[in-house]
């Protein structure tokens, strides 16, 4: 998914050169606790949407959750390539 790589690059750019008015820059500035709070909030919203069988809401909340997870990974300096490598390791025990 090319878009995930694009988002990863934007997060890395904002980490190195914060941009005024950028949501990503503000999350990175507020730090890990704020990012984790957003992940928890989005995970809860995804659970509720799923339990309510709201397909469009599930897609929307899953997107929000993945976005905030990408922000956390960027904050921690963890690349999508590292995540992909871990998936590959798990695919072949």
């Amino acid at each position: 998914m090319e878009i995930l790589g694009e988002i990863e690059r934007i997060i890395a750019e904002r980490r190195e050169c914060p941009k005024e008015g950028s949501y990503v820059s503000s999350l990175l500035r507020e730090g890990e606790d704020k990012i984790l709070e957003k992940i928890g909030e989005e995970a809860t919203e995804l659970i509720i949407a799923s339990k309510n069988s709201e397909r469009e809401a599930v897609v929307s909340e899953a997107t929000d959750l993945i976005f905030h997870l990408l922000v956390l990974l960027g904050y921690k300096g963890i690349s999508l390539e590292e995540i992909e490598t871990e998936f590959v390791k798990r695919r072949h025990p």
Side-chain angles (χ1 to χ4, degrees):
M1 289 197 215
E2 189 177 318
I3 189 69
L4 296 181
E6 183 179 333
I7 293 167
E8 180 182 44
R9 285 188 297 280
I10 290 168
I11 293 167
E13 288 172 11
R14 297 296 186 267
R15 184 174 174 209
E16 295 302 315
C17 301
K19 183 177 178 182
E20 186 66 33
S22 163
Y23 179 63
V24 171
S25 292
S26 70
L27 280 175
L28 294 171
R29 183 177 56 253
E30 290 183 56
E32 185 175 19
D33 287 345
K34 183 62 175 181
I35 298 167
L36 293 173
E37 177 185 318
K38 291 300 295 180
I39 289 172
E41 176 184 313
E42 299 304 343
T44 299
E45 291 173 359
L46 175 59
I47 291 166
I48 292 166
S50 182
K51 292 297 282 179
N52 291 336
S53 300
E54 298 171 354
R55 184 179 180 81
E56 288 182 31
V58 169
V59 170
S60 178
E61 297 304 340
T63 301
D64 289 345
L65 179 58
I66 292 168
F67 170 77
H68 287 91
L69 177 59
L70 290 173
V71 173
L72 177 66
L73 294 175
Y75 181 81
K76 294 287 197 176
I78 298 169
S79 70
L80 284 173
E81 185 177 331
E82 291 175 80
I83 302 301
E84 182 179 19
T85 299
E86 183 64 24
F87 272 119
V88 170
K89 284 195 279 187
R90 292 179 183 197
R91 180 177 62 193
H92 299 294

